[in-house]
Structure formats: C-alpha cells, structure tokens
Amino acid sequence: MKASELRAKDVAALEKEISDLLKAHFSLRMQKATQQLGNHQLLGKTRRDIARARTILAEKKKEAAQ
C-alpha cells in the first residue's frame, strides 16, 4: 500500500487498516510456521505496510493535537 493512499484516509480508517494488516501478518506467520507459506516476501511487505500505516496515523494524531 502506498503512503499517498494511506494519507487520504481518516484516523478511524487508518486504525481499521492497521488492525486488518496485523491479522494478515499473524495469518502469514502461522502459514510460515506450518510451512504452507509459498511467498516469504509477503511477511516483510506486510510488516512494512503496518509500520507505514502506524507512522501516518501518528502524524495525523499529532496534527489534530496542535
């Protein structure tokens, strides 16, 4: 997911997006543990998407506080 797509969302949508990404990351970790994961690059991609979304959420909350 691109940062520009995330910046277009509001705080509630970002929190839901983070929740969905965390669930997807957990699912990928379980697939890896049971050796069912075919594409291991998805783990890193999902982790970076979570970090990107959390960063933008923090920026939006900081803006709102000012």
Side-chain angles (χ1 to χ4, degrees):
M1 178 160 297
K2 293 187 176 188
S4 59
E5 295 172 7
L6 291 172
R7 289 187 198 282
K9 295 184 179 188
D10 62 345
V11 173
L14 280 173
E15 289 173 346
K16 182 177 179 343
E17 184 70 31
I18 292 171
S19 174
D20 292 343
L21 286 169
L22 287 171
K23 288 177 186 175
H25 188 65
F26 178 78
S27 175
L28 290 171
R29 285 188 359 239
M30 291 301 109
Q31 287 179 20
K32 181 183 178 196
T34 58
Q35 298 181 358
Q36 295 176 349
L37 183 61
N39 188 357
H40 293 281
Q41 293 177 345
L42 292 175
L43 281 168
K45 181 184 179 304
T46 307
R47 198 172 60 241
R48 283 189 300 275
D49 285 344
I50 292 168
R52 189 175 296 121
R54 283 183 173 166
T55 300
I56 293 171
L57 179 63
E59 288 174 359
K60 286 190 179 268
K61 285 185 176 181
K62 186 177 177 183
E63 267 181 21
Q66 290 180 351

